[in-house]
């Protein structure tokens, strides 16, 4: 005869369990105050030791971490260990060009000075070498004129917006002024030269830092190569300790009471910390990247010989290609100023073997430890060829979940003219200054100094257009379209994001209903942020 169990005790036990949970077997705690490489070593030991994190950190010192990393990272190629060391850097007083190149990493976190919320008229600018006093004088004159016009148009647009946007009674005057100033800067930033100094902070893991340094050291821009060397040096030399002054005072008081104890306190609190002395020590310029760039530029010149850059839309949603054609087109796209569609049309006239020869150029110089070029990240369903102003591109550049293939800056695509600037009666003044900057850039590029073709680009304002290929899945296209069409956004990338939505909706009408975009054609309340 079976027993009948009453449900009452079980219900009672469940209630009691909710009130007094048993001690969990899982142990979770945050780790603080550990050098990045030591922490990476401690975490890596999970795969090679039964020690807990606390035990590992207690027994590890800087020398042990360096020995371990030299063995497993450099000799055995366990590069995932470097993913565990995260490092914060402040990078100040670099040009807009250098900043855009610096942050062009798919695994990157950081923030840069905003052209919307900060006035850049006093930030200064970078001056490259032009090889002659006359060229240098022309450069300085043009840059100073751009800053003067930036300041004048910032003020002019603020006054124009102020006249057309009454302040609500409930809004404070300083909030009203800040909001309209930000809208004015959205327009005047088109005149900031690419030489303009900016600052940024980044937090990256050591593997990203290593590849970033190598990429910077391989750049055709001298400023960027110097930046790569400075970044490597900052990782290997003593870092800034914001507690140094406070702890120094404490150590001094302890020394007054007890000299020996004070010395021990100094060794513990004031020791120099090098954030990544081991993991980046072999980061050098990439011969793979430099030689491949040279050969692909030559292949592109041969393929597109005599071709004129044709007019292109703001956003072009590309059709699917065979993988071989996509790889060849993307490799050539990065090192030219032609649209993807123009390059692909030229490739369509080549034999399959010739297309494969172009793809082969992308791996010809690849060394044993070189990662494939980003152009090989192919096969995404949605591919957008976008032609927009540099200022707007800087905002779109933040979407790193997609693959971005960026072309070099150029004056060949002309510049954008904001509609509000024309409505304010400043259009002709703006266009005159912009055209002059383009002409000066062309004149400077004709010099004979080394690297002058790239140095001449610094004088171009951010309103000039640049081209970039964005490859992504459906989820990312929806995310960008929804986020970047909101009324608080900059009108430049709002137009791009809405055009992306329209292109997808046109090709895949059944999927259009899933996009929660804001129609950019509707009027915007300038006081809504």
């Amino acid at each position: 005869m079976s027993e009948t169990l009453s449900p009452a005790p079980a219900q009672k036990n469940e209630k009691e369990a909710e009130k007094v949970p048993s001690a969990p077997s899982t142990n979770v705690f945050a780790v603080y105050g550990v050098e990045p490489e030591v922490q990476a070593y401690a975490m890596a030991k999970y795969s090679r030791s039964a020690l807990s994190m606390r035990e590992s950190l207690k027994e590890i010192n800087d020398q042990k971490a360096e020995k371990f990393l030299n063995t497993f990272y450099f000799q055995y190629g366990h590069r995932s260990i470097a993913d565990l060391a995260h490092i914060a850097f402040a990078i100040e007083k670099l040009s807009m060009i250098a900043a855009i190149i610096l942050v062009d990493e798919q695994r990157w976190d950081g923030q840069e000075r905003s052209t919307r919320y900060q006035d850049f008229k006093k930030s200064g600018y970078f001056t490259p070498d032009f090889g002659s006093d006359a060229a240098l004088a022309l450069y300085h004159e043009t840059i100073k004129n751009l800053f003067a016009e930036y300041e004048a148009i910032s003020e002019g647009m603020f006054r124009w917006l102020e006249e057309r946007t009454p302040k609500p009674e409930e809004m404070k005057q300083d909030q009203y002024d800040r909001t309209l100033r930000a809208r004015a800067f959205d327009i005047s930033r088109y005149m900031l030269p690419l030489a303009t100094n900016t600052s940024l902070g980044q937090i990256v893991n050591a593997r990203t830092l290593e590849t970033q340094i190598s990429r910077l050291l391989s750049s055709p821009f001298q400023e960027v190569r110097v930046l790569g060397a400075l970044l490597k040096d900052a990782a290997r030399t003593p870092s800034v300790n914001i507690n140094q002054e406070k702890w120094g005072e404490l150590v001094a008081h302890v020394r007054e009471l007890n000299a020996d104890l004070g010395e021990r306190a100094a060794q513990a609190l004031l020791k120099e910390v090098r954030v990544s002395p081991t993991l980046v020590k072999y980061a050098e310029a990439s011969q793979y990247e430099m030689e491949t760039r040279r050969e692909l530029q030559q292949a592109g010149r041969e393929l597109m010989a005599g071709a004129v850059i044709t007019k292109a839309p703001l956003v072009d949603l590309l059709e699917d290609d065979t993988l071989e054609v996509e790889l060849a087109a993307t490799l050539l796209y990065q090192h030219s100023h032609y649209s993807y569609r123009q390059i692909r049309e030229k490739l369509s006239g080549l034999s399959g073997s010739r297309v494969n020869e172009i793809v082969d150029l992308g791996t010809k110089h690849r060394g044993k430890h070189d990662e494939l070029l980003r152009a090989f990240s192919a096969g995404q369903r949605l591919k957008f060829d976008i032609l927009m102003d540099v200022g707007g591109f800087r905002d779109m550049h933040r979407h790193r979940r997609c693959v971005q293939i960026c072309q070099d800056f150029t004056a060949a695509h002309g510049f954008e003219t904001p509609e509000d600037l024309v409505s304010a009666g400043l259009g002709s003044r703006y266009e005159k200054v912009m055209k002059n900057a383009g002409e000066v850039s062309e004149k400077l590029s004709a010099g004979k100094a080394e690297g002058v073709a790239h140095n001449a680009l610094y004088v171009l304002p951010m309103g000039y257009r640049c081209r970039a290929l964005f490859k992504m899945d459906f989820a990312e296209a929806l995310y960008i379209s929804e986020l970047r069409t909101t009324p608080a956004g900059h009108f430049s990338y709002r137009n791009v994001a809405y055009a992306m939505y329209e292109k997808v909706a046109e090709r895949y009408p059944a999927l259009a209903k899933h996009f929660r975009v804001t129609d950019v054609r509707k009027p915007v309340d300038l006081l809504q942020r």
Side-chain angles (χ1 to χ4, degrees):
M1 184 174 177
S2 61
E3 296 181 357
T4 302
L5 300 178
S6 171
Q11 293 173 354
K12 182 179 180 181
N13 289 340
E14 288 175 3
K15 291 179 180 179
E16 290 176 351
E18 291 174 3
K19 294 179 180 178
V20 187
S22 59
S25 59
T26 302
N27 189 20
V28 179
F29 56 92
V31 178
Y32 169 75
V34 183
E35 288 88 338
E37 287 195 355
V38 172
Q39 183 165 294
Y41 175 19
M43 290 187 174
K45 284 193 70 174
Y46 274 129
S47 66
R48 297 166 179 84
S49 169
L51 293 177
S52 71
M53 178 66 73
R54 285 190 179 93
E55 293 168 332
S56 292
L57 288 172
K58 284 181 180 179
E59 76 157 27
I60 295 172
N61 55 39
D62 296 347
Q63 289 75 27
K64 283 186 177 180
E66 181 178 358
K67 182 178 179 182
F68 173 85
L69 294 171
N70 277 325
T71 300
F72 287 94
Y73 187 73
F74 296 112
Q75 294 182 28
Y76 297 156
H78 290 198
R79 300 192 69 195
S80 60
I81 295 171
D83 292 340
L84 304 172
H86 285 75
I87 307 158
F89 290 93
I91 305 165
E92 300 177 345
K93 203 174 180 181
L94 71 166
S95 74
M96 292 287 188
I97 284 181
I100 291 171
I101 296 172
L102 174 77
V103 307
D104 189 30
E105 293 286 339
Q106 291 181 278
R107 299 181 294 266
W108 189 87
D109 293 297
Q111 287 288 328
E112 184 182 347
R113 286 184 67 196
S114 171
T115 55
R116 168 174 280 185
Y117 300 112
Q118 295 197 43
D119 188 341
F120 276 72
K121 65 184 178 184
K122 295 181 180 180
S123 64
Y125 58 92
F126 177 77
T127 302
D129 179 24
F130 291 102
S132 78
D133 292 339
L136 190 61
L138 177 61
Y139 176 79
H140 285 305
E141 179 187 352
T142 308
I143 295 288
K144 289 177 181 178
N145 184 47
L146 284 169
F147 275 114
E149 291 299 302
Y150 163 77
E151 183 176 6
I153 286 182
S154 292
E155 187 62 28
M157 288 307 306
F158 173 76
R159 297 304 174 194
W160 184 81
L161 292 171
E162 188 179 39
E163 291 174 4
R164 284 153 183 77
T165 314
K167 183 182 78 66
E169 290 185 6
E170 67 277 10
M171 184 178 248
K172 293 183 178 179
Q173 185 66 43
D174 60 344
Q175 181 185 359
Y176 172 77
D177 290 344
R178 283 197 308 271
T179 303
L180 287 190
R181 288 281 180 199
R183 293 291 187 178
F185 284 147
D186 277 353
I187 297 169
S188 61
R189 81 176 190 186
Y190 279 66
M191 309 196 73
L192 284 174
L194 294 179
T196 304
N197 285 333
T198 185
S199 298
L200 59 86
Q202 71 170 27
I203 301 174
V204 295
N205 64 47
R207 182 176 359 188
T208 297
L209 177 62
E210 184 183 31
T211 58
Q212 183 185 50
I213 291 172
S214 177
R215 183 173 56 79
L216 297 178
L217 292 173
S218 309
S219 173
F221 288 92
Q222 182 185 18
E223 180 200 8
V224 176
R225 295 195 298 272
V226 171
L227 176 60
L230 291 173
L231 198 57
K232 181 177 179 179
D233 188 57
R236 303 179 65 195
T237 55
S239 57
V240 173
N241 182 354
I242 62 171
N243 294 309
Q244 188 83 16
E245 183 177 349
K246 179 176 63 177
W247 288 349
E249 293 175 356
L250 177 61
V251 167
H253 289 313
V254 174
R255 276 186 171 136
E256 290 176 0
L257 299 174
N258 186 309
D260 291 340
L261 189 60
E263 184 58 31
R264 289 173 59 189
Q267 291 177 7
L269 297 176
L270 303 180
K271 69 173 185 176
E272 294 180 341
V273 174
R274 292 166 171 79
V275 293
S276 188
T278 309
L279 291 172
V280 302
K281 67 180 181 181
Y282 294 126
E284 302 292 345
S286 170
Q287 294 301 313
Y288 170 41
E289 182 173 337
M290 292 188 293
E291 289 299 316
T292 303
R293 178 171 62 222
R294 181 180 59 80
E295 293 198 5
L296 286 173
Q297 286 174 340
Q298 178 60 31
R301 284 192 292 268
E302 293 175 359
L303 179 69
M304 306 301 293
V308 176
I309 297 175
T310 57
K311 187 177 180 180
L314 179 67
V315 174
D316 187 7
L317 176 57
L318 303 163
E319 298 81 9
D320 288 336
D321 297 306
T322 64
L323 187 56
E324 295 88 347
V325 168
E326 181 182 346
L327 289 173
T330 305
L331 285 164
L332 295 177
Y333 174 97
Q334 185 171 10
H335 301 292
S336 76
H337 294 301
Y338 296 96
S339 69
Y340 184 97
R341 190 174 293 278
Q342 235 185 314
I343 294 171
R344 186 179 59 188
E345 289 174 357
K346 285 286 187 178
L347 288 173
S348 66
L350 302 182
S351 64
S353 60
R354 179 59 185 133
V355 170
N356 285 328
E357 286 177 6
I358 295 173
V359 176
D360 291 345
L361 292 177
T363 60
K364 177 180 175 182
H365 298 284
R366 187 185 177 205
K368 180 180 179 180
H369 300 293
D370 290 321
E371 293 185 10
L372 273 174
L373 299 172
R374 190 183 302 175
F376 283 93
S377 299
Q380 294 81 359
R381 190 61 177 269
L382 299 175
K383 298 179 286 291
F384 300 94
D385 192 359
I386 299 175
L387 182 64
M388 66 185 305
D389 63 276
V390 175
F393 167 74
R394 288 172 70 246
D395 296 312
M396 292 292 291
H397 199 199
R398 299 171 187 169
H399 294 282
R400 295 180 176 85
R401 201 168 74 81
C402 56
V403 175
Q404 298 183 28
I405 307 297
C406 310
Q407 293 184 350
D408 280 344
F409 302 108
T410 180
H413 304 309
F415 55 86
E416 295 285 354
T417 301
E419 292 181 6
D420 281 348
L421 202 150
V422 175
S423 300
L426 297 169
S428 58
R429 178 176 181 175
Y430 165 82
E431 291 186 0
K432 180 180 179 181
V433 174
M434 296 292 280
K435 288 178 180 178
N436 178 68
E439 292 168 358
V440 169
S441 179
E442 183 178 1
K443 185 175 182 179
L444 291 173
S445 68
K448 297 181 179 179
E450 183 179 356
V452 72
H454 285 90
N455 292 344
L457 299 174
Y458 282 97
V459 81
L460 291 178
M462 290 173 61
Y464 270 81
R465 300 186 186 101
C466 64
R467 195 192 298 279
L469 188 63
F470 284 68
K471 300 183 179 185
M472 65 192 74
D473 56 24
F474 177 76
E476 184 67 1
L478 182 143
Y479 172 74
I480 293 175
S481 297
E482 291 185 350
L483 176 68
R484 293 301 184 183
T485 57
T486 57
H490 191 283
F491 53 85
S492 175
Y493 63 66
R494 289 190 74 216
N495 291 333
V496 170
Y498 195 76
M500 290 171 62
Y501 153 71
E502 289 182 312
K503 295 291 185 180
V504 175
E506 180 182 354
R507 185 168 299 176
Y508 306 102
L511 298 177
K513 62 184 179 183
H514 300 294
F515 287 77
R516 297 182 294 194
V517 297
T518 304
D519 191 339
V520 299
R521 295 164 296 192
K522 294 182 178 180
V524 171
D525 182 354
L526 296 180
L527 298 178
Q528 293 296 317
R529 310 302 294 161

